[in-house]
Amino acid sequence: PLRHCTTAMLLKTLNLTKPSQLKYPTYLHLEGSDFALVHCEVLDDVPPKCVKEINMNDNRLVEFSTPPTAEFKKVKRLSLERNCLQLVALRGLSNLVTLSLAHNELERLPDVAACPKLETLNVAHNALHEGFAALAALDELHHLDLSHNELDLTYAELYHTVLRHLVE
């Protein structure tokens, strides 16, 4: 089907009339001024079994979620930097290894427990001040960037809320 997107002048439609022609691995790069996406409905027409990487940097997304019935099990990397994100739902991304949400407007860390294989999480340059308990479920997490957020924690609170989960 032909899917219409609300975007800037350069992208009017995403034509996936033959999505079965997409083969693994597919790197879905919808970044920059060529797209200026304001919502992620474009993922509705993408066959989830073939996508290995999603890059939607430099758009105008306020919310991000995968389609409710889709399992993007092969996606290893998701990058949503420099958007206007306030809400992120990570369902169907159970094999995600790298997640970058830097330079957005997040106040709460997304529920990353749905991504047990996550090794790298970049949430720098947001307005984060809550939701850190979700980090406890990430046994594989090795790299966490929380720089340039609105953390109002003492070192002891930071340790018990965030860091403790990384060193255990």
Side-chain angles (χ1 to χ4, degrees):
L2 188 62
R3 185 62 134 182
H4 294 278
C5 303
T6 305
T7 65
M9 297 300 288
L10 296 175
L11 177 70
K12 295 298 181 193
T13 60
L14 178 63
N15 187 350
L16 292 174
T17 54
K18 297 180 183 178
S20 60
Q21 291 180 343
L22 292 176
K23 301 294 182 196
Y24 177 79
T26 298
Y27 298 90
L28 188 60
H29 284 242
L30 300 171
E31 81 176 292
S33 59
D34 291 345
F35 299 101
L37 300 172
V38 294
H39 52 77
C40 54
E41 284 182 0
V42 34
L43 295 178
D44 291 352
D45 291 333
V46 175
K49 293 180 180 178
C50 69
V51 179
K52 185 173 182 179
E53 179 176 300
I54 300 172
N55 180 334
M56 296 176 81
N57 293 342
D58 298 304
N59 281 288
R60 297 181 194 151
L61 299 173
V62 174
E63 295 182 8
F64 174 85
S65 63
T66 55
T69 58
E71 290 286 326
F72 283 84
K73 290 185 178 181
K74 293 190 177 175
V75 173
K76 302 285 186 195
R77 185 174 192 283
L78 173 60
S79 189
L80 301 168
E81 296 181 2
R82 292 175 303 281
N83 279 283
C84 305
L85 289 171
Q86 297 173 2
L87 180 65
V88 175
L90 298 169
R91 66 178 169 254
L93 295 163
S94 58
N95 290 311
L96 194 65
V97 173
T98 302
L99 174 61
S100 187
L101 301 170
H103 298 274
N104 279 290
E105 299 172 9
L106 296 170
E107 294 181 5
R108 178 177 184 76
L109 188 69
D111 185 4
V112 290
C115 308
K117 297 181 180 180
L118 200 61
E119 296 177 7
T120 302
L121 175 58
N122 182 356
V123 288
H125 296 275
N126 277 283
L128 292 175
H129 54 85
E130 62 181 327
F132 302 110
L135 295 172
L138 300 179
D139 293 333
E140 303 297 320
L141 188 64
H142 299 295
H143 305 281
L144 174 64
D145 189 346
L146 288 168
S147 62
H148 304 281
N149 275 283
E150 296 179 4
L151 300 177
D152 187 19
L153 303 169
T154 66
Y155 179 76
E157 291 170 326
L158 179 65
Y159 177 80
H160 288 292
T161 308
V162 180
L163 301 178
R164 175 174 54 110
H165 307 299
L166 297 177
V167 295
E168 291 178 345

